[in-house]
Amino acid sequence: MKKRAIYIIWASAFLSYTNAKAQMNFSKDSLALYSDTVFVTANKSERQVKNISVPISLVSGKSIIQAGNTRLSDVLREQTGITLTSGFGAGVQLQGLNPDYTIILIDGEPLIGRTAGVLDLNRIAVGNIQKIEIVKGPSSSLYGSEAMAGVINIITDKKNTDALAANIRYGSYNTKDGNISITKRLNKISAQTFYNYYSTDGFSVRPNSNNRFITPISRTTFTQNLQYRFSDKTSIDGSLRYNTENIKSIIAVANNGTTIYSNGNEKNNDLNGSIVLNHRFNEKIKTKLNTYYTQFESKQDLLTVSGNPYNDLFQQNFKRIENQTEWKINSSLNTIAGFGWIKEQVNSSRYDNIDSAKTNTIKYAFNQWEWNNGEKWVANAGFRYDQNQNFASAFSPKLSLMYKANTHLRFKLSIGRGFKAPDFRQLYLNFTNSAAGNYSVFGAVEAQKVINKLNQLGQIGNLFSNYYQLKKLEPEYATGIHFSAEWEPNQNNELQFQIFRNDINNLIDVQQVGNYISGSQIYSYLNIKNAFTQGFEIEAKQKYRNGFSSSLGYQFLLTGDKDQIASINNGTVYTKNTNGTSRLLRLSDYVGLPNTSKHRFQVKINYENTKGFYANIRAIYRSKWAVANTNGNEVYDNGDQFGSGYVTLNYSMGKPLKNGFAVQAGIDNINNYMDGLNLPNLAGRTFYMTLKYSTQHKK
Amino acid sequence: MKKAIGKGLVVVVTSIFLFSCSKSTTTVVAPLTATTVNDLPADTIIGVTAQGQPYGAGKYTFYSIEKNAIVANTDSATTKWDLAFNGTKILTNGGTSGTGLGGAFVQVGLFDELKTISPDSVFKTDNAPASYAITYGSGKGWYTYDPIKNLITPLAGRVLVIKTASGKYAKVEIISYYKGGATLAATATDAEKISKQRYYTFRFIYQPNGTKNF
């Protein structure tokens, strides 16, 4: 699944060796719907795209390169049904669900290191990517926590011959990006090395505020993969990835005419390492033993010219051992079973004590059955059970069905339930804000203990009824139903239509549970909210004879907080008229969850000739989204503050030169759309140029 | 403007028509109408501390609901005032704040729909600094504070039910905390957010006959 060598071993059950080789060379940008292309994420094992019964999408490495994307955020911003959120970096919003609910994998292994639930996609360099696989909806629940909205799996490029590739890029805001990748194959060993350096001077777009900021960033990523084949049946894979990031910020606060500068320094680094032992017992049974370790550290220092320095440290590590066995019972029936053990640990200056490690242990097992009658029907059923030390256990079943009406038309129906574990902040936070009113927030595990202690010291004024409801947090659950139709009338046209509905229960929210004797509030976390997202997606791809191709994607999305909708229907939610007086809020004023846009649309037109010259233009539209409550009620409605709908246009072109060299140039955000308040991550018009070299240049 | 005059005429004409039709034997009680107070200063900002905190002179603005007028600070120890404003804090003339019979509570609902104060409702009095009749703090009484945008927004659907210094009743709805009668836009400059804050615009209905009906 990860490496070339495994492909060779693993492919036995479903694919011949040659077939696998052909698939490895896959580089088609579009029209992959009915192909033999291998897709690993949906079924936790290699399957051909045409045999997968859940909604998936695939981004090819070639399209990433041709679009001139360098970070994962650049790539995902241009995909149907995906919106990037801003705040704590660039997060991914899949089908209207927050970044907390999508798991991000590199070669099948989860990335950690989230800030307020957001995994910053800018951290991930895409210079060595073969493809990105996306599974939407909780039918991806075999991956465990966070696989609620979906799974994004980044498959790194494992070239099958010795190769050396390098490129350097220079762009606006003094942005530099450089990659080197080396592949070396000996008889039984194969090794890949990847190195990326990225730095930018940053930009400042915030209008009408004394807070002008630029955030110079530098990032370095190093990846090393190693495979050793003992025999055709047994191999071992090792991989190591290290990423480090330095962010400098200068915050200027104007103070009665004088400006005070604060110098911020943020250093984040993450390390992932895995060792996988693969063994094939016979034609029917294969197994793998996977050990994985990852750690993330984030350190923030803020130095003000006058005043106390602010330091924040967050350290997290994650260890996992997993065994997965696949048994091909007969030509139409296959099962995968696995079990594993996870230990997570967090140390943070925001918990009671930086030195006291907070840990959680998870034991889990999963099982999946696939039935493929070879003609009309494919069915897949599975479940995963997670037993958690610090919060309630989670059961995640899934079921999907595909019907092939004919060779051009297919229907898929899938139902699944995914979960998200309460994070360490929700379990262990022990934070008192002495700068703003001395209020405290206690994690659910700590709250009753700490408050009891405070009560004995006579510091508690009163406790609310929900204090007595504090208990072991339950995981948050999403139940999703997806129906899709896929139609490929001929080689050059492809159309996908998908309807989805996700119901999210048990959402964890912060609530006041009492007061100090001084009147300051005490908060903790409870499972209290229920929400939904629903809508549809359309994706169409066309190829034309003269080298042109195009793709269109549209998503319609409705979201809502069920409890808020009930309150609106009960006539207990108010809003302000423009003259400042109040009135009852109507359901038609309600806009649902914040940061969600009703419409999202993208168009891409691509040209490529036989000599390898290519050019493409991509337009991305996002309609308005609610940003903040400004009219004095707790729901998002038409009277609140919105980010306005916008379009960005990106262009890139490239051409191979002689002796393995190639050039690329492009402009991102041609129309120079900026909104510093609501889109702090969107830079203005950016020009760039890249020089590439590869020993593996194409004919 | 013309439209408004037109509407006014219609109202006047209709009411003349209605009144002329009603029998002179029934006593006509003139309906109470809302009075709007615009841009009442409430310890407006006079400077910013070295730590960046804006501050005022620390004075309250005393207001008489009964007379619909500002009361001089020298009369702060009397029962001449009903409400006193300082930043987001609103005092009533009773408890620890004054010598009057004043008190208040915050009711969730619409100003126009509050026709009668429920007989079992409890008027709280100020008990500084622990508690105030009109609860003080973001999201607790009449406003919310957004620390990122640095703006105070009156909560929708909140009626301040007031007992005046002389023990009569009034209802108040806060419309804005900023000069000009509307909450500033999030994109307003910091300077504007500082200079225009602490100006109350509110509307009220005062019942002079001592009943709890409006």
Side-chain angles (χ1 to χ4, degrees), chain B residues 123-185:
Chain B
F123 282 83
K124 295 192 284 178
T125 52
D126 290 351
N127 180 26
S131 68
Y132 294 89
I134 299 168
T135 326
Y136 163 70
S138 177
K140 293 194 263 187
W142 64 270
Y143 70 94
T144 58
Y145 171 61
D146 183 328
I148 294 162
K149 287 183 222 48
N150 213 351
L151 284 174
I152 299 276
T153 308
L155 287 164
R158 296 292 187 281
V159 187
L160 313 183
V161 186
I162 309 291
K163 199 172 165 191
T164 65
S166 60
K168 289 171 178 165
Y169 300 98
K171 58 178 178 178
V172 172
E173 182 178 24
I174 311 285
I175 287 172
S176 157
Y177 185 66
Y178 293 89
K179 199 172 187 171
T183 304
L184 297 178

Side-chain angles (χ1 to χ4, degrees), chain A residues 207-211 255-256 260 519 521 572 574-576 579-584 627-633 641 677, chain B residues 48-53 108-110 140 144 146 149 153-158 173-175 181 186-190 203:
Chain A
N208 293 334
S209 166
N210 288 319
N211 264 353
N255 233 335
N256 206 13
I260 293 178
Q521 307 97 313
T572 56
Y574 303 91
T575 187
K576 288 274 184 185
N579 66 4
T581 58
S582 302
R583 65 169 169 86
L584 271 181
V627 175
N629 261 316
T630 50
N631 63 351
N633 57 22
Q641 189 198 332
L677 204 61
Chain B
V48 180
T49 65
Q51 284 74 41
Q53 292 286 333
V108 175
L110 294 177
K140 293 194 263 187
T144 58
D146 183 328
K149 287 183 222 48
T153 308
L155 287 164
R158 296 292 187 281
E173 182 178 24
I174 311 285
I175 287 172
T187 49
T189 61
D190 293 350
R203 61 170 175 163

Side-chain angles (χ1 to χ4, degrees), chain A residues 312-493:
Chain A
D312 196 47
L313 181 64
F314 179 86
Q315 292 167 316
Q316 181 181 11
N317 70 53
F318 175 102
K319 302 179 190 97
R320 193 193 64 193
I321 298 174
E322 180 182 292
N323 175 253
Q324 175 179 322
T325 304
E326 184 169 351
W327 177 27
K328 188 180 187 296
I329 298 163
N330 59 45
S331 61
S332 58
L333 196 62
N334 171 287
T335 184
I336 290 177
F339 60 97
W341 174 90
I342 293 171
K343 184 162 185 180
E344 275 184 280
Q345 179 177 322
V346 170
N347 290 59
S348 168
S349 50
R350 290 202 159 196
Y351 304 160
D352 55 348
N353 180 350
I354 179 75
D355 296 319
S356 98
K358 306 299 178 195
T359 59
N360 186 35
T361 308
I362 302 169
K363 292 169 200 147
Y364 63 93
F366 57 87
N367 184 213
Q368 170 186 266
W369 290 83
E370 280 172 86
W371 175 74
N372 182 348
N373 84 340
E375 292 197 5
K376 295 278 183 199
W377 295 92
V378 176
N380 184 318
F383 75 91
R384 173 171 162 136
Y385 182 77
D386 288 70
Q387 193 197 62
N388 307 294
Q389 184 194 348
N390 288 327
F391 50 91
S393 302
F395 177 67
S396 326
K398 66 164 189 173
L399 179 68
S400 63
L401 202 60
M402 175 163 69
Y403 174 68
K404 301 174 187 174
N406 55 49
T407 50
H408 303 291
L409 184 63
R410 303 183 303 182
F411 299 97
K412 294 176 178 180
L413 178 67
S414 68
I415 302 170
R417 184 165 95 150
F419 78 99
K420 183 191 163 281
D423 59 33
F424 278 81
R425 169 181 53 128
Q426 292 160 340
L427 295 170
Y428 291 113
L429 190 68
N430 186 332
F431 176 71
T432 297
N433 192 337
S434 47
N438 277 315
Y439 70 85
S440 295
V441 189
F442 299 121
V445 171
E446 304 278 283
Q448 284 184 317
K449 240 189 301 179
V450 177
I451 294 170
N452 247 326
K453 216 172 180 182
L454 289 168
N455 209 359
Q456 283 163 14
L457 296 169
Q459 290 197 32
I460 301 296
N462 60 322
L463 292 171
F464 294 180
S465 62
N466 57 7
Y467 166 77
Y468 300 98
Q469 290 160 20
L470 281 175
K471 54 170 186 166
K472 241 185 188 184
L473 282 177
E474 302 265 341
E476 302 179 328
Y477 284 110
T479 306
I481 301 184
H482 287 66
F483 171 77
S484 61
E486 298 173 353
W487 184 44
E488 194 182 64
N490 55 52
Q491 290 278 310
N492 297 321
N493 289 285

Side-chain angles (χ1 to χ4, degrees), chain B residues 12-35:
Chain B
V12 171
V13 170
T14 325
S15 25
I16 290 169
F17 178 70
L18 284 172
F19 284 117
S20 55
C21 281
S22 62
K23 297 278 185 230
S24 53
T25 47
T26 56
T27 46
V28 177
V29 180
L32 297 170
T33 51
T35 308

